[in-house]
Amino acid sequence: MGQAGRSIIAVASQQLRKAIFLAVPKKKLDEEPAVSRQQIDESFSYRICGPIDRSGGIIQLIRCPKNCLSGVSIQFGTHCRAQEIPITVEIFALDQAQGSSAEWPILPHDALASSTVFPGELVDNEYHHIYFQNLGDTEGGLFALRLTSSELSSREAPTAYVSRGSDRIAGHCGLHTRDGVFVSHGLKANLIFSSPEVSASSPPGILYSPLTSCNMNCTHCISRHSRKRAVRMSSAIKEEIKGLVAAGKITWMFTDYSGDLLFADHKKPGELDYVTELGIAVHIDTNGAYLTDARIAKIMASKVDAVSLSIDAATNETYQTIRIGAPHLDTIFEAAARLVEARAASGREHNLVLSVGFTLMRSNIHELPLFVERAARAGVDSIGCRHLEVYHAPMQEESLVHEPERFNAVRRDALALAGALGVHLNIGDAFQERFGSGSLQPCLLPWESATVLANGDVMACCVPGAKIGNLTEDTLEGIWTGERYRRLRERVNSSNPPKLCGSCQFRNAANRYGGHNSLHREGVVTQSFDDDL
């Protein structure tokens, strides 16, 4: 049975266990007597808290450092087996006096928030991200985080890791277990916050697309929804961005999403000059078809600090199949080599990173070793690999989740070859059978950056459907500090995220790629912030 089949069975099994758990009447947890606890030996930097089952729960006291607490990421252990019993995570507001007591904390009858980690969700030795509703005014308050289970397990129950180092939970005030009290050690965990507020009136960085048109029609492109017709960014929008840069509010930029910057410069000279003359750090992502010597010279004379050529193939036959409308592949690798030579001649080896990109798919994975060879010959610093994100139906069968063994074998050989040739291959982890479905990672993008398209659309990220405003209707500062962005920040890392965020592939592990579909075959968005934000 393939990885996809096993994944379907695992999900169905997990849903069945969840349904059974919800259907079975739960016993009320026994109340703990308010007695002093013996301090536990804390001579070790790391250890576990003990089993979390009906006879052993824990209470972590914290003094919250910020407002808008909305979750916690905790490192759990399941003893190299599947999680068999649920873990309930609750948070309570406490009287300040309990922060220094060695007695088992007296908790209010009702929790502020509660979340259940169902059987089959925890992954052994990994952080599990648990979300609540946004709790609002939490800064300085004393809270109890209780981890319990209403069930006894015939096998070892899950445990949580504790630490006294920098990875200890913020605001630690004591950790109470059935065995005693940890004074120095606290949960190995990170608090999650979702403040609707931002410290600056505009995004610090932007993903910038000056043209909703491209010289290629790539089979795996995620921005086709933005290219219904060719639109060039207006001078008014460019002046607005330029003004925010001059004011020190926008400090970095990535280019290429809806259209290639160098193609835009080919269509209308001056587009590259506009970007390089901003005087900020710029990462140019390009397909390389228009990387001429003249444009290379402009890049070398600017503050552009990274150039990445998206290629995805090692032979011209495969390249033409994936990147429809592309020139011969040899010209792209030749352009990469000229870029490397120009960097050396300009003395910019210390402040300009050059890389090539390879999207991992079933139709090209066999060429990865040859791609490594060609990249090494060109002299680039690194090769960036990423699994295909699935956004429309034709992508489904291209995902390597269907052939994990094949990917792992090619990955192993490519890493060995890259090491021998002296080029860094950033390819991520191998596929592996693992117990547990995992959880969505926290997202920081709504506080860090925005995507600006040529037609004025402002998107919270590059995921299709993430439009949040338009610069023909409001300013970038108005959108960034406006009500829709505030609602997104308040909800994205909570128990009630927008549907688009809840299915985001960038917040999932590679093993879970292949199941999301937010576009029709023609590239029409089927799910967006307009649905529930």
Side-chain angles (χ1 to χ4, degrees), residues 284-360:
I284 295 177
D285 197 349
T286 175
N287 56 47
Y290 293 94
L291 188 60
T292 62
D293 289 341
R295 294 189 177 100
I296 289 174
K298 289 181 179 181
I299 290 171
M300 294 303 151
S302 73
K303 289 189 176 181
V304 171
D305 60 2
V307 179
S308 177
L309 277 65
S310 300
I311 302 177
D312 306 323
T315 67
N316 190 58
E317 180 181 6
T318 301
Y319 184 61
Q320 297 297 330
T321 301
I322 293 174
R323 292 186 167 264
I324 300 169
H328 197 284
L329 179 59
D330 290 351
T331 65
I332 306 302
F333 278 107
E334 289 166 3
R338 294 200 311 275
L339 192 62
V340 172
E341 292 171 0
R343 180 179 66 171
S346 302
R348 293 204 56 192
E349 293 95 333
H350 66 291
N351 64 4
L352 177 59
V353 177
L354 304 179
S355 62
V356 290
F358 191 96
T359 301
L360 300 162

Side-chain angles (χ1 to χ4, degrees), residues 124-427:
D124 192 26
N125 296 326
E126 288 193 9
Y127 282 86
H128 195 83
H129 312 291
I130 301 155
Y131 299 98
F132 309 118
Q133 72 267 25
N134 194 312
L135 297 179
D137 186 14
T138 54
E139 184 174 1
L142 182 66
F143 297 91
L145 195 66
R146 182 169 74 175
L147 279 62
T148 57
S149 179
S150 60
E151 297 185 11
L152 290 169
S153 175
S154 59
R155 297 187 179 184
E156 289 186 82
T159 187
Y161 286 89
V162 298
S163 169
R164 63 182 181 187
S166 60
D167 50 3
R168 183 184 68 183
I169 192 168
H172 167 75
C173 292
L175 177 63
H176 295 258
T177 73
R178 296 307 192 272
D179 296 328
V181 179
F182 288 98
V183 176
S184 298
H185 285 71
L187 283 176
K188 194 175 178 184
N190 299 303
L191 297 175
I192 301 171
F193 299 93
S194 294
S195 172
E197 308 297 337
V198 282
S199 58
S201 62
S202 78
I206 59 172
L207 177 58
Y208 171 83
S209 288
L211 182 68
T212 59
S213 178
C214 188
N215 55 303
M216 298 184 190
N217 186 20
C218 302
T219 59
H220 58 295
C221 181
I222 70 171
S223 66
R224 63 178 63 187
H225 68 94
S226 69
R227 299 201 303 269
K228 296 176 183 177
R229 62 187 183 91
V231 177
R232 189 176 305 281
M233 184 173 287
S234 70
S235 58
I237 294 176
K238 288 182 178 179
E239 284 301 310
E240 181 180 351
I241 293 172
K242 187 176 180 180
L244 292 172
V245 169
K249 296 181 178 182
I250 294 177
T251 59
W252 58 268
M253 173 186 287
F254 272 55
T255 75
D256 182 30
Y257 174 68
S258 183
D260 190 292
L261 173 65
L262 304 187
F263 172 62
D265 190 64
H266 168 75
K267 298 287 287 185
K268 183 182 179 182
E271 296 288 0
L272 179 59
D273 291 337
Y274 169 79
V275 169
T276 57
E277 290 171 3
L278 290 173
I280 58 175
V282 177
H283 179 127
I284 295 177
D285 197 349
T286 175
N287 56 47
Y290 293 94
L291 188 60
T292 62
D293 289 341
R295 294 189 177 100
I296 289 174
K298 289 181 179 181
I299 290 171
M300 294 303 151
S302 73
K303 289 189 176 181
V304 171
D305 60 2
V307 179
S308 177
L309 277 65
S310 300
I311 302 177
D312 306 323
T315 67
N316 190 58
E317 180 181 6
T318 301
Y319 184 61
Q320 297 297 330
T321 301
I322 293 174
R323 292 186 167 264
I324 300 169
H328 197 284
L329 179 59
D330 290 351
T331 65
I332 306 302
F333 278 107
E334 289 166 3
R338 294 200 311 275
L339 192 62
V340 172
E341 292 171 0
R343 180 179 66 171
S346 302
R348 293 204 56 192
E349 293 95 333
H350 66 291
N351 64 4
L352 177 59
V353 177
L354 304 179
S355 62
V356 290
F358 191 96
T359 301
L360 300 162
M361 298 182 281
R362 296 174 85 179
S363 59
N364 70 355
I365 187 64
H366 61 286
E367 294 191 357
L368 183 57
L370 178 57
F371 188 85
V372 170
E373 290 183 14
R374 299 198 69 170
R377 285 201 300 270
V380 297
D381 304 316
S382 64
I383 301 164
C385 296
R386 58 189 293 173
H387 281 278
L388 175 74
E389 289 99 31
V390 177
Y391 290 102
H392 53 83
M395 293 183 180
Q396 294 279 357
E397 289 304 310
E398 277 285 359
S399 175
L400 281 161
V401 297
H402 302 290
E403 295 188 81
E405 295 84 2
R406 182 184 176 208
F407 166 71
N408 289 347
V410 175
R411 173 186 176 276
R412 181 183 61 248
D413 294 343
L415 280 169
L417 180 60
L421 296 176
V423 60
H424 178 66
L425 178 60
N426 182 8
I427 194 171

Side-chain angles (χ1 to χ4, degrees), residues 1-11 362 399-408 430-434 436 509-513:
M1 183 183 296
Q3 175 83 13
R6 286 191 292 269
S7 298
I8 292 171
I9 291 174
V11 170
R362 296 174 85 179
S399 175
L400 281 161
V401 297
H402 302 290
E403 295 188 81
E405 295 84 2
R406 182 184 176 208
F407 166 71
N408 289 347
F431 283 111
Q432 55 184 311
E433 291 290 342
R434 65 178 191 176
N511 290 23
R512 298 178 68 182
Y513 285 158

